[in-house]
Amino acid sequence: MAETALSTITTPVASSQPAIVVHHLEDSRSQRILWLLEELNIPYEIKKYKRLPSRLAPKELLDVHPLGKSPVITDGDITLAESGAIVEYLIQMYGTEKDKVSPSEGERWRNNIYFTHYPEGTVQPILVRRLMFSLIPGKVPALLRPIVRPVFSQADELVNVPDLKRNGTLIEEHLKKVKASGCEFFAGGTGTSPTAADYMMILTTVILATRAKEFCGEETIEYVKRIQARDAYKRALEKSGDYVYVLKE
Ligand SMILES: N[C@@H](CCC(=O)N[C@@H](CS)C(=O)NCC(=O)O)C(=O)O
């Protein structure tokens, strides 16, 4: 199969059901959307895209959305990018009461909003910056690498490490707090199901647990294990195929 090959898996769709299509790039934020759709138990179709050797997305994704990134969904005439927007859209359109959090729920509502926006707004950019710092030295001419590598390593210590320590602690302390009050999900309160916050936070927590363990606390690891044990999460993994961010026992 060509590097940019696109393949389609269609889950059984009753004719009256909405035709949601997920444009899914391997090993990407799009896994959030597959998990959500499995939890919501609504039919959808996956169009799969392989990353190029550069790890960038193939140009076919530009035909779907002007930024050429994943996830993107189409739902009838609607095309929507940005994982947080997609999560909120799907929950509003297809979620039931258990998937939603209302303003009357006070702190639970505020937690839900905060942890829905925090991963893309704060932590993911730090993790991407860290990845770039680790990759750039390998891209400069070999002769310069002995000079460039320590510079980026020092920059990592100076810029990324303190940020990741603070963020890892914030996540860990929050999970301890909600667990102490009897909830196993990010929004806390009386919630017994994942909410938008969990669909967004799972990527960050699993990256911390697998790729940045030094910043990841025990409660965060337990959270990832709990989510990975959910049937809907397992079904999403089966449908996506190989996924690099899996916390092994
Ligand atoms: N903030 C966007 C980020 C989208 C994004 O950067 N997606 C990555 C996959 S995780 C991507 O498409 N990367 C390939 C590329 O940049 O070419 C979101 O949450 O959807």
Side-chain angles (χ1 to χ4, degrees), residues 25 28-29 32 51 55-57 69-71 82-83 120:
L25 179 66
S28 80
R29 286 158 166 90
R32 289 168 166 156
R51 288 182 184 264
R55 302 299 291 159
L56 292 176
K69 310 260 180 206
S70 175
E82 203 53 57
S83 49
E120 285 304 310

Side-chain angles (χ1 to χ4, degrees), residues 26-119:
E26 64 179 337
D27 298 331
S28 80
R29 286 158 166 90
S30 178
Q31 198 70 33
R32 289 168 166 156
I33 310 303
L34 301 187
W35 173 35
L36 169 58
L37 285 162
E38 289 297 330
E39 293 277 356
L40 294 181
N41 202 19
I42 49 176
Y44 64 97
E45 184 184 328
I46 308 177
K47 286 193 194 292
K48 292 183 174 183
Y49 300 80
K50 283 200 166 297
R51 288 182 184 264
L52 301 173
S54 62
R55 302 299 291 159
L56 292 176
K59 62 177 174 20
E60 281 86 346
L61 269 170
L62 282 167
D63 299 335
V64 185
H65 185 273
L67 299 185
K69 310 260 180 206
S70 175
V72 177
I73 63 157
T74 55
D75 184 9
D77 292 344
I78 295 165
T79 299
L80 196 58
E82 203 53 57
S83 49
I86 297 170
V87 164
E88 295 207 47
Y89 169 83
L90 289 173
I91 290 176
Q92 284 307 315
M93 293 296 287
Y94 303 105
T96 60
E97 284 317 302
K98 73 174 177 35
D99 309 303
K100 297 176 184 170
V101 185
S102 103
S104 66
E105 292 175 84
E107 189 183 353
R108 175 168 147 77
W109 179 63
R110 285 189 295 279
N111 283 339
N112 186 52
I113 293 183
Y114 179 71
F115 285 105
T116 298
H117 295 277
Y118 158 79

